[in-house]
Amino acid sequence: MALESLLINGGVPLRGEVEISGAKNAVLPMMAATLLTRERCTIRRVPDLADVKTMVAILQSLGAKVQHAGDTLVIEAARLKDKADYDHVRKMRGSICVLGPLLGRVRRAKVSVPGGCQIGPRPIGLHLKGMEALGAKVKTTGGYVRATGKDLRGGQVFLGGHAGPTVLGTANVMMAAALAKGTTVIESAACEPEITDLAVFLKAMGAKIDGAGSPTITVTGVKELSGAEHEVMPDRIEAATYAIAAVATRGEVTLKGVRPEHLTAVLDKLDSVGAKVEFKRGKMTFKRARTLKPVDITTLPYPGFPTDVQAQMMALLTQVPGISVITERVFESRFMHAAELHRMGADVAVKGPSAIVKGGTALSGAQVMASDLRASAALVIGGLMANGITQVNRIYHLDRGYERIDDKLRGLGARVQRMQT
Ligand code: EPU
């Protein structure tokens, strides 16, 4: 695979409208959920992302038939295998969310244990604890989780870990419980909107779920689920990224197809920094209102400030005079972007789970590289603000989670080019 880079000639304020795509972190578990039924499911507003392609490959390797036309996916898993291979799972940690559906539907699952990634260790102990609470027997050997659950039945499970609830763990337990006998109560469930969106889809399939979006979710198992249609929620992280880029470049950007209620923590911080936000006829417009002020941010599970927006916000804060402190409470080593922003002229010091940003130092274009999706987005924002040309290398990370990012930025007036390196 040829590696691609993004060349950004900075200093242009972003202006115009951009359509927000369907949410990556909603569509991935939703695609896995289609394994719960032998009937055909249709998912609309599916973003064109590398991670979606990886999930398609996983579903196909498990025996599902997948048709992909435009932004619609039609998936039919009439017959299923029970084993998800390392080759697919290693590419994407989100693939762990086939565990719950396989266990629910075929009462047996063998899924390669996902490795850690650049944002730190990514344990799955809580997922397994959830499966055990449903009566499954779980063993991890030879790099695979093997779970069997002939008598899968409802149970009570607490899914809080050292950093709060687990998002995909909640999705996994909800999906397995949908076909278990009896009632499951998940305490300390993740409240992320992606979980609520998954529950809406599962309910359309016939699942009985109450409380999704709150810390207590109750699932009453049913014998069978049927096919369903669903449109994926808008990507709140993509929306936040373009909103921050608008403020960072002193531009004015209107986001179409967003849900402001998913963005409250981000809007609150952008307001404190000095952004002006207008919401009219389903669109949101972001620009700078006044001189920017530094802020302190702590990432937390939803409805707190999202860890997935921390890096982009750091890029903005490098240009806000004064000292901002960012504390990362979800993935404590998620600061790789700090060193790369530093190469562009930013003054950021990482001390344990906090980054101290001394804002206001000029950024100049440089070659940079990030090894995680959101860190790469931060470098793009850095490049858009910087003087001169920034080359963001290895943009396959961006392509995992941002649909056509170069086209969308060009549509807003940015001087951005994709090139082979
Ligand atoms: N954790 C445990 N034990 C577990 C699972 C998680 O201790 O069994 C810890 C993690 O180490 C972390 C915290 O719990 O400290 C939260 O992790 P979580 O399980 O919620 O993360 P995830 O479900 O694997 C999803 C998103 C991430 C996003 C996090 C947090 C998907 C596909 N991924 O991951 O998205 O950062 O929730 O909101 O939904 C991204 O899009 O760039 C991304 C990394």
Side-chain angles (χ1 to χ4, degrees):
M1 184 183 65
L3 290 179
E4 290 184 327
S5 302
L6 219 53
L7 271 192
I8 305 171
N9 193 349
V12 182
L14 299 187
R15 289 193 192 282
E17 283 199 350
V18 61
E19 176 91 39
I20 297 306
S21 303
K24 165 179 89 80
N25 290 349
V27 77
L28 295 176
M30 214 169 269
M31 289 170 72
T34 64
L35 300 177
L36 286 163
T37 177
R38 58 181 59 247
E39 293 180 17
R40 170 185 299 206
C41 293
T42 303
I43 309 177
R44 302 190 195 285
R45 202 184 188 181
V46 175
D48 184 13
L49 300 174
D51 274 8
V52 167
K53 294 194 176 88
T54 303
M55 189 55 105
V56 166
I58 291 171
L59 298 183
Q60 285 170 332
S61 77
L62 288 166
K65 297 212 162 66
V66 184
Q67 293 166 42
H68 200 166
D71 69 351
T72 300
L73 269 179
V74 179
I75 303 169
E76 196 176 325
R79 251 165 274 149
L80 268 191
K81 294 177 210 150
D82 60 359
K83 180 175 164 219
D85 276 327
Y86 172 70
D87 260 5
H88 296 303
V89 174
R90 78 182 163 81
K91 284 196 198 149
M92 182 179 77
R93 159 148 186 126
S95 47
I96 187 66
C97 57
V98 297
L99 179 65
L102 286 177
L103 191 62
R105 167 102 175 265
V106 286
R107 300 298 205 237
R108 226 176 33 242
K110 183 176 171 196
V111 178
S112 173
V113 180
C117 69
Q118 298 302 325
I119 62 180
R122 305 284 299 265
I124 54 164
L126 292 168
H127 299 234
L128 306 186
K129 177 183 169 189
M131 300 303 138
E132 281 170 345
L134 301 180
K137 295 208 165 48
V138 181
K139 267 201 303 198
T140 308
T141 45
Y144 280 86
V145 174
R146 290 158 209 261
T148 48
K150 279 202 189 85
D151 300 312
L152 211 62
R153 40 149 179 84
Q156 184 114 13
V157 63
F158 181 83
L159 284 185
H162 71 282
T166 160
V167 179
L168 291 177
T170 302
N172 253 333
V173 177
M174 217 162 66
M175 293 190 282
L179 288 178
K181 254 183 238 146
T183 300
T184 297
V185 180
I186 308 172
E187 297 284 5
S188 191
C191 303
E192 269 67 6
E194 290 76 9
I195 293 294
T196 314
D197 206 34
L198 173 64
V200 171
F201 180 55
L202 291 169
K203 288 206 260 193
M205 295 171 77
K208 296 209 167 97
I209 300 172
D210 281 318
S214 83
T216 306
I217 298 179
T218 307
V219 185
T220 304
V222 295
K223 273 221 159 100
E224 255 180 14
L225 292 172
S226 55
E229 279 197 37
H230 184 73
E231 182 179 300
V232 182
M233 62 174 267
D235 196 314
R236 63 194 169 96
I237 309 301
E238 187 197 25
T241 304
Y242 285 103
I244 292 170
V247 179
T249 58
R250 300 169 185 272
E252 181 168 341
V253 172
T254 299
L255 309 182
K256 289 195 283 184
V258 265
R259 302 258 291 270
E261 70 272 24
H262 293 164
L263 288 165
T264 23
V266 174
L267 294 177
D268 183 64
K269 284 301 168 192
L270 281 176
D271 180 62
S272 309
V273 172
K276 186 156 183 248
V277 187
E278 269 174 27
F279 185 55
K280 252 197 243 158
R281 283 180 240 109
K283 296 179 182 177
M284 297 181 87
T285 302
F286 292 82
K287 62 180 175 193
R288 251 182 221 210
R290 51 177 160 78
T291 318
L292 300 188
K293 283 199 297 205
V295 285
D296 290 348
I297 293 177
T298 301
T299 66
L300 288 169
Y302 191 85
F305 192 92
T307 171
D308 291 344
V309 183
Q310 178 260 110
Q312 302 87 316
M313 201 68 177
M314 182 188 288
L316 168 64
L317 293 173
T318 66
Q319 297 309 293
V320 177
I323 294 181
S324 296
V325 180
I326 301 176
T327 304
E328 178 52 73
R329 289 275 176 236
V330 180
F331 294 110
E332 290 191 0
S333 52
R334 197 176 196 179
F335 282 132
M336 296 87 62
H337 41 285
E340 297 298 292
L341 287 169
H342 181 74
R343 298 191 61 242
M344 300 177 71
D347 186 344
V348 184
V350 175
K351 299 240 182 303
S354 295
I356 294 126
V357 185
K358 285 191 194 145
T361 55
L363 296 185
S364 58
Q367 280 221 30
V368 284
M369 182 175 77
S371 29
D372 132 68
L373 165 60
R374 309 302 170 186
S376 307
L379 298 180
V380 170
I381 295 174
L384 292 169
M385 293 187 291
N387 287 321
I389 295 189
T390 296
Q391 181 173 336
V392 182
N393 289 326
R394 302 210 174 171
I395 53 164
Y396 55 80
H397 293 292
L398 282 168
D399 292 333
R400 288 188 46 206
Y402 288 93
E403 187 173 40
R404 299 184 292 103
I405 187 164
D406 42 337
D407 287 349
K408 286 192 181 186
L409 285 172
R410 265 194 305 272
L412 296 171
R415 293 176 293 195
V416 174
Q417 262 181 344
R418 185 181 283 257
M419 62 165 212
Q420 308 261 328
T421 33

